[in-house]
Amino acid sequence: MKNQKTKVGIIGATGYAGIELVRLLLAHPNVEINAVSSVSFKGRAISDIYPALHSIYDVKLGDEDSVIEQSDVVFAALPHGLSEPIAKKCVRLNKLFIDLGADFRLDSQDTYKEWYEKNFDEPELHKQSIYSIPELHRDRIKDAKIIANPGCYTTCIPLGLAPLIKSGRAKLDTIIIDAKSGTSGAGRGLTQTTHFPELNEGFCAYKVASHRHIPEIEQTISQIAGEEVKVTFVPHLIPINRGILATMYINTDCKDENELYDMYCEFYKNDRFIRIMPLGQTVNVKNSKLSNYCDISLHFDKRTGRAIIISAIDNMVKGASGQAIQNMNIALGFDEGAGLDAIPPSF
Ligand SMILES: NC(=O)c1ccc[n+]([C@@H]2O[C@H](COP(=O)([O-])OP(=O)(O)OC[C@H]3O[C@@H](n4cnc5c(N)ncnc54)[C@H](OP(=O)(O)O)[C@@H]3O)[C@@H](O)[C@H]2O)c1
């Protein structure tokens, strides 16, 4: 029985995060995908919808219940507001549930209601769910039953800020975050903003200081700081498929980038997916594309005493499906990087 693979299933397999789970899990050494589901495409082969899978993975899409029934680990990659009933069934049947959506990410029901205009329907379930960016929270999830997988900005930004905040050397009321995302961050659905002629050759800010990831970012960094922290966050949309790059400005009593560099190398010394760039280099989204890496470059503006930290991830991998698999690996006792060792292409 030693070599038996763990059965996993994906609800919402036809979305961008779902299909990325399929791509990554098919190459995972310890699991097999037992079932996938869709509402719109139920009964059709998944490779009809995504021909990249043709002759590799041609299984038919089923429904949510069949995924839960046939899997030991259930991933859901759905719009927010749909995950609580699935989590409830999974807990009852003793299946590990990993949610890529926002439903279990916020601790406070009031904050969730303020940003998502919805109450927790199952408050008891929320007490069992564990939010995890593995590099910051891996000790929490060994016996988790529900894992709330963070969002894309909310992975890239706290990973960039955590060492400086933890050091106690940041002026916490000075954090400004300017971030750019590729368009897969908006999912598969077409909107006017993501329609090719409108997006191509365009570059704009959106949801200025009002994006739903703000409370999640603040929750994570407030926990690290041990006090409430507020940030100014301005996201931008750029005409590339994948990638998030966040530039973070923060006042500090550090004297130069060498101090930052030593601090960050020490903080992440055991984290194989965090790459601190040599001083003088700046990160580029293309260098973490299709991989689970988070790249961080460190800069210091001596005239203003401001650290400038730039982090980059692939929003679909470290910002979604790769990180969900990393969380599963930890929860099930697999090697943390199993299935996630793809090397990013250089161009
Ligand atoms: N894209 C990213 O970069 C990213 C990063 C981190 C987290 N996330 C989160 O991951 C989740 C999925 O995002 P995505 O980008 O993959 O979105 P997406 O491409 O729009 O896919 C959404 C999926 O949900 C399914 N779905 C939609 N409405 C449904 C309903 N009423 N009942 C059941 N299934 C329904 C769709 O399935 P059918 O149409 O086939 O039925 C589709 O498979 C979201 O919560 C998002 O916030 C996304």
Side-chain angles (χ1 to χ4, degrees):
M1 285 298 161
K2 206 173 162 210
N3 294 324
Q4 202 169 0
K5 292 191 172 187
T6 299
K7 296 177 172 51
V8 303
I10 302 154
I11 298 173
T14 53
Y16 281 176
I19 203 66
E20 197 66 355
L21 278 168
V22 172
R23 181 177 76 84
L24 294 168
L25 288 166
L26 283 173
H28 194 293
N30 309 109
V31 308
E32 62 187 346
I33 305 177
N34 232 26
V36 285
S37 79
S38 161
V39 176
S40 318
F41 301 105
K42 189 180 162 195
R44 291 184 57 189
I46 193 164
S47 54
D48 278 356
I49 323 301
Y50 289 105
L53 293 176
H54 179 67
S55 85
I56 296 170
Y57 191 64
D58 297 303
V59 303
K60 285 197 172 142
L61 290 149
D63 61 21
E64 177 185 308
D65 282 335
S66 65
V67 172
I68 297 172
E69 213 173 280
Q70 295 176 56
S71 314
D72 302 316
V73 179
V74 175
F75 293 90
L78 301 171
H80 74 88
L82 300 171
S83 292
E84 284 175 296
I86 300 170
K88 194 173 181 181
K89 286 181 202 164
C90 289
V91 167
R92 184 164 45 79
L93 297 168
N94 202 25
K95 322 256 180 180
L96 172 61
F97 178 60
I98 303 179
D99 189 21
L100 278 76
D103 295 12
F104 289 97
R105 292 188 198 149
L106 294 174
D107 294 340
S108 155
Q109 160 135 235
D110 291 344
T111 309
Y112 184 69
K113 184 153 193 201
E114 182 187 338
W115 291 84
Y116 290 89
E117 291 157 7
K118 189 180 173 302
N119 281 315
F120 292 166
D121 292 329
E122 303 283 348
E124 283 305 309
L125 274 183
H126 288 259
K127 293 182 190 156
Q128 298 176 55
S129 79
I130 313 280
Y131 182 86
S132 172
I133 300 173
E135 288 75 11
L136 305 180
H137 309 125
R138 65 166 67 78
D139 295 341
R140 298 177 175 182
I141 58 169
K142 295 250 155 52
D143 300 311
K145 295 282 171 253
I146 302 172
I147 296 176
N149 201 62
C152 44
Y153 287 124
T154 52
T155 294
C156 190
I157 291 162
L159 285 173
L161 289 173
L164 184 53
I165 290 183
K166 186 77 182 168
S167 75
R169 302 188 62 186
K171 296 200 173 61
L172 296 173
D173 59 353
T174 65
I175 302 173
I176 295 175
I177 304 155
D178 176 319
K180 287 99 188 164
S181 173
T183 52
S184 59
R188 191 190 71 200
L190 191 58
T191 61
Q192 186 170 350
T193 332
T194 54
H195 188 40
F196 184 81
E198 311 247 353
L199 176 78
N200 185 39
E201 298 184 41
F203 174 25
C204 62
Y206 67 104
K207 297 184 184 164
V208 176
S210 60
H211 193 284
R212 278 176 169 158
H213 282 178
I214 289 171
E216 202 182 317
I217 294 165
E218 291 181 343
Q219 177 176 280
T220 303
I221 62 175
S222 296
Q223 284 168 3
I224 295 168
E227 63 182 273
E228 193 182 336
V229 182
K230 294 218 177 294
V231 300
T232 296
F233 172 49
V234 182
H236 299 73
L237 192 61
I238 50 172
I240 59 173
N241 283 352
R242 289 167 177 260
I244 282 189
L245 186 142
T247 307
M248 293 159 276
Y249 306 86
I250 178 167
N251 285 65
T252 168
D253 65 10
C254 291
K255 294 289 174 281
D256 57 27
E257 54 271 21
N258 294 306
E259 273 192 77
L260 292 170
Y261 184 79
D262 292 345
M263 178 194 292
Y264 275 64
C265 289
E266 175 63 22
F267 189 92
Y268 287 125
K269 65 182 179 210
N270 298 320
D271 292 304
R272 68 174 99 170
F273 291 120
I274 309 292
R275 300 191 295 187
I276 308 301
M277 306 315 286
L279 289 178
Q281 290 191 20
T282 51
V283 299
N284 186 325
V285 286
K286 79 178 170 63
N287 296 327
S288 47
K289 189 173 177 177
L290 292 165
S291 83
N292 201 49
Y293 290 106
C294 173
D295 290 343
I296 300 175
S297 65
L298 299 159
H299 314 269
F300 191 77
D301 181 349
K302 283 202 174 76
R303 293 180 320 105
T304 58
R306 212 166 276 146
I308 302 168
I309 301 153
I310 312 179
S311 58
I313 59 170
D314 184 320
N315 57 300
M316 300 308 317
V317 186
K318 184 60 176 162
S321 309
Q323 181 148 266
I325 292 169
Q326 191 181 353
N327 273 323
M328 173 193 75
N329 288 340
I330 298 166
L332 298 187
F334 299 149
D335 177 77
E336 185 171 326
L340 297 172
D341 50 11
I343 295 167
S346 292
F347 53 87

